[in-house]
Amino acid sequence: MQSSKRIFASVDNNGNIVIPKKIALRLGVTPHVDIPLTELQDGIVLHRSATHIAKIYLEPTNRCNLACRTCIRNTWDEPQGDMSSQTFEKILSSLKTFDRKPLVFFGGLGEPLAHPAFLDMLRRIQPYASSIEMITNGTLLDQRMVDGIVAAGIDVVWLSLDGAHPESYADVRLGAALPQVLENAARLRDVRSGGLPHLGIVFVAMRRNIAELPEVIRIGNRLGVDRFLITNIIPYTASLQDEMLYGDTMTIPASGMPSPIAPQVQFTRMDITVATAESLFRLLRSFRLPDSLPTGLPLNYCPFIESGACAVSWNGTVSPCLPLLHTHSIYVDGRRRIFRVCSMGNINQQPLLSIWNTTEYVAFRKRVQQFDFSPCTFCGGCHLSRSNDEDCLGNTFPVCGGCLWSQGLIRCP
């Protein structure tokens, strides 16, 4: 995770702005491509083009070895399975055709290390990825797994860590023991080569654990963690609404995109209350803040579309984002919202680039960048807001006005 730095563009004789070639390539800026701009009071924000794939979330499995109280599996009835070798071969075949290598992120709605061929997947995909990241609960990081991860040259390993003490950790991640997870993480720290992989921590904040956030940061520092992501809980069950730390924040249309509070810390919108204030202020004091905070981007902002990402499930379904990878429900203001899976195609029937460039998928990405959806997250809720089928502005499936990611409330690595 890098700190933002000022980069200068130039102006040609015709008054056109010319941005550095390196930046243009990273954002997919090529001739005759429309580039979305956001106008701010004192400038503009140049967004990524929706024309090329820059990041792929791969879900090796939607199985998990734990039974966390915060998990989506508590409310869904989808079949569980592992990505087959045939499906993975289709992914490799697709990646070989890319002009620019994408970042490949092993994650989804399962524990990646639970796939029996995970290390082989890492090794075989490495030549076709600009970088590789993954997320894990850390329980399966034994010596063989750690050695394989380091040998594969993975760039970042994100560790899900929602408690600083064995009792509080086990209260959330049922079936896991914090001392063993920390021992596994330390093993990875000690055997990594050349500073790789980088280690990150993802902390899911809720009422029962927010007081432990400063101690989690200290644990991370001892483990050599150099990036943190603090996100909110997704209320998959009615009871998890009591754990939400953004009930008031969610009802207010935000004017700015959440910015890193320090180069190594990403943060989401959260209520400042008696329950959160002390931990948040202690967190702020733990890091050297930048000289000035970056100007916030408007919300109604999809972190998946804007980063050029797509997601591939264990069975080959290609979706625009992780939230649309599986059908699921959440509870907001006491009401249940159902989000149906959005499939743009299946990699077993069609190469990934062909799916990405279909008329339907291109139109969807442009529609999300415009984000002309009903404001369902804070509107109060009519019957249309109870699913992602349609909204009151006439948009049809899938609609994104009820997405917690688009309002800066939830983040994924």
Side-chain angles (χ1 to χ4, degrees):
M1 190 179 307
Q2 298 178 345
S3 59
S4 60
K5 59 181 179 180
R6 179 162 293 186
I7 299 172
F8 289 91
S10 60
V11 179
D12 65 18
N13 292 332
N14 296 319
N16 298 314
I17 296 176
V18 180
I19 64 175
K21 184 176 181 179
K22 181 179 180 180
I23 301 299
L25 289 175
R26 186 169 63 84
L27 295 179
V29 178
T30 56
H32 313 297
V33 168
D34 292 332
I35 305 300
L37 302 175
T38 296
E39 185 176 2
L40 304 176
Q41 182 177 354
D42 299 315
I44 61 171
V45 175
L46 178 69
H47 298 275
R48 178 185 300 278
S49 166
T51 58
H52 80 283
I53 302 175
K55 184 175 185 178
I56 303 173
Y57 288 91
L58 290 188
E59 181 184 70
T61 178
N62 66 349
R63 297 185 299 107
C64 187
N65 60 318
L66 301 182
C68 303
R69 67 171 67 250
T70 57
C71 185
I72 191 174
R73 290 172 194 77
N74 294 319
T75 63
W76 74 352
D77 57 0
E78 290 201 5
Q80 298 187 33
D82 297 339
M83 182 175 287
S84 68
S85 58
Q86 293 81 6
T87 298
F88 187 68
E89 290 296 335
K90 294 289 187 180
I91 292 171
L92 291 179
S93 296
S94 289
L95 289 176
K96 292 175 183 178
T97 67
F98 279 41
D99 293 331
R100 292 186 290 274
K101 296 178 181 180
L103 185 158
V104 176
F105 190 103
F106 283 90
L109 299 180
E111 168 55 47
L113 301 188
H115 193 292
F118 177 72
L119 291 179
D120 185 60
M121 287 179 166
L122 280 184
R123 178 183 59 81
R124 297 191 62 201
I125 212 165
Q126 195 275 337
Y128 310 109
S130 62
S131 59
I132 304 175
E133 299 186 19
M134 62 166 288
I135 188 167
T136 177
N137 59 40
T139 59
L140 301 179
L141 280 172
D142 58 19
Q143 190 65 55
R144 181 187 72 88
M145 193 65 71
V146 165
D147 290 341
I149 287 173
V150 173
I154 193 168
D155 294 274
V156 184
V157 174
W158 290 92
L159 178 67
S160 295
L161 195 65
D162 304 325
H165 302 93
E167 298 79 13
S168 58
Y169 178 83
D171 183 50
V172 175
R173 299 198 169 269
L174 310 181
L178 181 61
Q180 183 62 56
V181 169
L182 298 183
E183 180 181 332
N184 292 346
R187 179 184 296 119
L188 180 59
R189 173 202 61 197
D190 294 340
V191 304
R192 59 184 174 175
S193 175
L196 293 178
H198 294 282
L199 299 180
I201 282 179
V202 178
F203 179 86
V204 178
M206 46 192 142
R207 291 188 184 280
R208 71 175 61 224
N209 72 351
I210 186 63
E212 300 198 14
L213 176 56
E215 181 60 30
V216 168
I217 298 295
R218 285 192 286 271
I219 289 173
N221 290 334
R222 291 198 296 270
L223 290 173
V225 167
D226 61 10
R227 56 202 67 199
F228 298 89
L229 172 59
I230 299 133
T231 186
N232 283 300
I233 190 173
I234 306 172
Y236 291 120
T237 62
S239 61
L240 286 179
Q241 292 181 100
D242 296 332
E243 297 288 348
M244 291 170 52
L245 296 174
Y246 53 96
D248 293 334
T249 300
M250 184 170 57
T251 64
I252 304 172
S255 59
M257 179 68 190
S259 301
I261 62 172
Q264 67 272 48
V265 181
Q266 294 183 43
F267 206 76
T268 52
R269 297 170 63 201
M270 191 177 295
D271 298 342
I272 304 298
T273 66
V274 172
T276 64
E278 181 178 355
S279 290
L280 298 184
F281 292 152
R282 289 173 63 188
L283 175 67
L284 290 171
R285 291 196 298 268
S286 299
F287 295 96
R288 183 180 66 83
L289 295 181
D291 295 334
S292 62
L293 293 177
T295 302
L297 297 175
L299 282 196
N300 295 334
Y301 170 99
C302 174
F304 299 99
I305 296 296
E306 297 293 348
S307 64
C310 66
V312 184
S313 74
W314 67 274
N315 60 12
T317 297
V318 178
S319 294
C321 59
L322 288 179
L324 294 178
L325 196 60
H326 296 282
T327 296
H328 65 282
S329 62
I330 67 173
Y331 286 80
V332 179
D333 57 35
R335 302 179 186 181
R336 184 175 181 235
R337 289 181 180 174
I338 299 174
F339 295 88
R340 288 198 292 119
V341 59
C342 175
S343 173
M344 292 296 178
N346 192 291
I347 203 165
N348 290 300
Q349 283 82 48
Q350 197 174 4
L352 184 53
L353 283 179
S354 296
I355 296 173
W356 178 264
N357 290 316
T358 60
T359 301
E360 176 189 10
Y361 201 169
V362 171
F364 175 75
R365 293 197 299 274
K366 290 183 177 179
R367 182 160 62 114
V368 173
Q369 287 191 308
Q370 294 169 352
F371 216 89
D372 189 21
F373 298 105
S374 299
C376 298
T377 54
F378 62 85
C379 155
C382 68
H383 69 283
L384 293 177
S385 69
R386 299 306 141 195
S387 74
N388 62 340
D389 288 328
E390 59 179 316
D391 66 23
C392 62
L393 295 182
N395 294 299
T396 57
F397 177 84
V399 297
C400 301
C403 174
L404 301 179
W405 281 259
S406 71
Q407 302 307 309
L409 299 168
I410 306 294
R411 278 291 177 271
C412 297

